[in-house]
Amino acid sequence: MRERVRKIIDWHSAVWRSNFSVSSNFVCSGLKLDQVDTCASKFNCKTSSLYPSRSTYGRGLITGILGVSQPRMYATSCVKLLEDQSKETPISDMLIDSFGRLHTYLRISLTERCNLRCQYCMPADGVELTPSSELLSQKELIRLANLFVNSGVDKIRLTGGEPTIRTDIEDICLQLSNMKGLKTLAMTTNGITLARKLPKLKECGLNSVNISLDTLVPAKFEFLTRRKGHGRVMDSINTAIDLGYNPVKVNCVVMRGLNDDEICDFVELTRDKPINVRLIEFMPFDGNVWNVKKLVPYAEMMDRVVQNFKGMKRLKDHPADTAKNFRIDGHCGTVSFITSMTEHFCAGCTRLRLLADGNFKVCLFGPSEVSLRDPLRCGVDDLGLKEIIGAAVKRKKAAHAGMFDIAKTANRPMIHIGG
C-alpha cells in the first residue's frame, strides 16, 4: 500500500506542478509513509482519500498537502495590520495567504449540538450529528488552539452548535485564556443557558460575548427557533451587561417577512444600554431554504434606521472588521451591519475556522475543508500540522463567490460549521 500511496502522491504532484507554481515549503505534510498503514487501518481510509481531493468535506488525511502559490492580485487592507502585528508578536508564515492577508482570528466550534432549532441555521428535519468519537476531545482541541496561538493568532471565538451545552466549557475557557499571546477569548451563544454560566465563564477568562436574538417578540421567537426561551435570552443579555461586558453584542439575522419589521426596535435597545446590535444579512447554507426574496440588503436596513433615528455617524472600523459600525447621537450603545451578501469584506478577512469534527475551513462560504483530527491522531507532530494548515491557508481565494453561486454550492449547514 505504501508504494501505491507514493505513486498517487507523485502523480498528483506532477499534475499540480504542471498547472501551478508549487511552493517547496509545503511538499510534505509531515505524515511519514510508514505512518500511512496505521492511519488507513485505524480510520478505514481509502487510498482515494490520501491525496488532494475535491470532496465537499475534504476528510482526506493528506488533502491539501501541496501549497499553491498564486499571483498577488491586490493589496488588501490587512497590509497595515500585518505590519502592526509583526512589531508585537512573531507571525508564522502559516497564517499568511497568497494575497498577503494575515489570519489572527480563529473560530472554534465546540459542538454540533444545540438546544434551539433556528430556521436559518438548521434544516427543518434536523441534521446528522457526527459520532462523539469523531469529534475533537478537549485535549486535542487545546493542542490545536495552542498551535495557532503560538503561530500568531490573538483572538479565538468559541461557537457551535451551542457552545454552552458542552460540559467542559469552563475548563476549555480557562486553558485558552491562559495561553500566552491570546488577547481576546470570545463566544457566540444563543443565550438560553448563558445567564447562569456567565459569571463562572468570566472568571475563566471569557472577555467578549455575542448573543444571537432574531426577534423581540416571544411568540415569533418560538416560531423562528422552534423552541421556547425568549425570556431566558433577554436575561442573559442583562446578565452580561451587569457583569460589565461592554459592549454586549446582539446578533440579529434579518429576514424579510419574518423580522425585518423589528429593525428599529432592535436599534432602540442601544439607547440606554451598552449593546452593539449587529444586523446581519441573511446568508445561504445547506437546508436553510435561502431565497433572495428573504434577503434585506444593507442599504435598505440602513435607510430604515436613518429615517427613524437622527444623528447617525459612522465609526472608524478596524481593518479586519466584518461589520460597518455606527453610533446614534444620545445612544449608549452602537449599531453595526454585517453585509456578507451585498458588500463582502473578503479583502480584510482574518478569520479561520476549526470545526467540531477537527476539519479546518479557511472560508465560511467555501466548501473546501481539510482534516486536522486525522493526522493529529496518527501522530503527526506540530511542524507537520502547521504545514497542512499553511497549505490550506495559501489556497484561500481572494473572495467568496456571489450569493447566487453560494446558494448553489454544496456546503454544510450553519450548525455544522459554527458560523
Side-chain angles (χ1 to χ4, degrees):
M1 177 178 174
R2 235 177 285 170
E3 185 59 31
R4 186 178 180 186
V5 172
R6 189 188 301 277
K7 288 180 179 178
I8 290 171
I9 294 174
D10 289 346
W11 181 82
H12 277 269
S13 297
V15 171
W16 281 47
R17 287 191 175 91
S18 67
N19 290 283
F20 303 99
S21 170
V22 181
S23 168
S24 61
N25 292 331
F26 299 98
V27 172
C28 177
S29 70
L31 182 65
K32 299 180 177 65
L33 286 178
D34 60 7
Q35 295 175 311
V36 170
D37 292 318
T38 304
C39 290
S41 61
K42 186 173 182 179
F43 298 105
N44 296 317
C45 300
K46 298 178 181 178
T47 52
S48 60
S49 72
L50 296 175
Y51 56 87
S53 166
R54 295 184 179 180
S55 63
T56 301
Y57 298 133
R59 294 179 184 275
L61 290 176
I62 313 182
T63 298
I65 63 173
L66 299 177
V68 181
S69 298
Q70 302 178 39
R72 194 176 298 273
M73 295 174 63
Y74 58 86
T76 76
S77 60
C78 283
V79 173
K80 185 176 186 302
L81 181 65
L82 176 57
E83 293 172 352
D84 293 343
Q85 185 76 21
S86 62
K87 297 173 185 176
E88 301 176 10
T89 309
I91 299 297
S92 169
D93 181 67
M94 174 187 95
L95 299 177
I96 305 173
D97 70 11
S98 58
F99 303 101
R101 291 173 296 198
L102 171 63
H103 298 79
T104 57
Y105 179 4
L106 177 66
R107 302 174 69 102
I108 301 177
S109 176
L110 297 183
T111 178
E112 296 175 350
R113 297 181 181 276
C114 188
N115 42 17
L116 295 180
R117 296 291 183 270
C118 298
Q119 293 188 26
Y120 61 82
C121 180
M122 184 183 290
D125 55 355
V127 296
E128 183 178 350
L129 297 175
T130 303
S132 297
S133 62
E134 296 179 22
L135 299 177
L136 290 178
S137 66
Q138 181 188 135
K139 183 177 179 180
E140 291 170 332
L141 186 153
I142 295 299
R143 178 184 168 188
L144 289 173
N146 193 59
L147 180 66
F148 278 97
V149 172
N150 286 340
S151 298
V153 163
D154 60 16
K155 179 178 180 178
I156 288 178
R157 178 174 298 280
L158 303 177
T159 68
E162 171 50 38
T164 61
I165 68 174
R166 184 151 168 166
T167 57
D168 57 353
I169 181 66
E170 291 90 354
D171 194 30
I172 289 173
C173 284
L174 185 60
Q175 292 187 64
L176 291 175
S177 65
N178 283 328
M179 290 182 182
K180 184 179 180 181
L182 188 69
K183 298 177 181 177
T184 303
L185 179 60
M187 178 186 293
T188 296
T189 168
N190 61 30
I192 292 295
T193 65
L194 183 67
R196 64 182 175 85
K197 294 190 174 186
L198 192 54
K200 180 64 174 177
L201 289 172
K202 186 177 182 182
E203 288 180 13
C204 292
L206 185 70
N207 53 26
S208 179
V209 62
N210 289 45
I211 301 173
S212 297
L213 179 65
D214 301 315
T215 178
L216 300 173
V217 181
K220 195 187 292 186
F221 177 91
E222 188 172 346
F223 171 74
L224 287 172
T225 67
R226 307 184 181 107
R227 295 289 188 274
K228 294 182 179 181
H230 180 270
R232 297 168 72 180
V233 180
M234 296 304 296
D235 287 344
S236 291
I237 293 173
N238 290 323
T239 297
I241 293 172
D242 292 342
L243 287 171
Y245 285 91
N246 186 359
V248 175
K249 297 181 179 181
V250 176
N251 293 347
C252 175
V253 177
V254 180
M255 295 164 280
R256 192 180 304 281
L258 290 174
N259 64 350
D260 59 315
D261 59 330
E262 297 185 61
I263 289 175
C264 291
D265 294 333
F266 271 96
V267 174
E268 189 64 34
L269 292 177
T270 71
R271 185 178 296 276
D272 301 314
K273 296 180 179 180
I275 291 175
N276 171 223
V277 165
R278 300 161 69 81
L279 301 171
I280 304 171
E281 291 181 338
F282 184 39
M283 298 173 279
F285 291 94
D286 277 12
N288 72 352
V289 197
W290 184 87
N291 188 308
V292 69
K293 294 179 180 179
K294 296 181 183 178
L295 171 68
V296 182
Y298 154 60
E300 182 179 335
M301 289 191 277
M302 184 69 175
D303 284 344
R304 295 196 197 183
V305 176
V306 170
Q307 288 172 14
N308 288 274
F309 296 90
K310 305 302 180 184
M312 192 167 183
K313 299 176 182 177
R314 181 72 181 265
L315 299 175
K316 184 177 181 180
D317 301 328
H318 188 275
D321 273 352
T322 60
K324 296 174 174 63
N325 303 296
F326 297 82
R327 184 180 297 279
I328 299 172
D329 284 350
H331 283 224
C332 178
T334 55
V335 180
S336 301
F337 300 86
I338 298 180
T339 63
S340 304
M341 296 294 95
T342 61
E343 294 186 22
H344 71 72
F345 30 81
C346 300
C349 183
T350 64
R351 292 164 299 287
L352 302 171
R353 289 172 170 81
L354 179 62
L355 280 55
D357 64 359
N359 272 18
F360 178 59
K361 195 174 179 72
V362 297
C363 176
L364 174 62
F365 299 110
S368 299
E369 298 178 7
V370 59
S371 178
L372 300 182
R373 177 203 65 203
D374 293 348
L376 187 155
R377 292 184 180 180
C378 284
V380 175
D381 61 16
D382 285 355
L383 179 60
L385 291 171
K386 288 179 69 172
E387 288 177 344
I388 297 172
I389 294 166
V393 171
K394 292 294 184 291
R395 292 196 303 275
K396 185 171 182 175
K397 296 181 179 179
H400 63 66
M403 57 186 172
F404 295 106
D405 289 328
I406 292 172
K408 294 184 293 185
T409 302
N411 199 358
R412 297 216 224 181
M414 175 68 88
I415 194 166
H416 273 168
I417 298 173

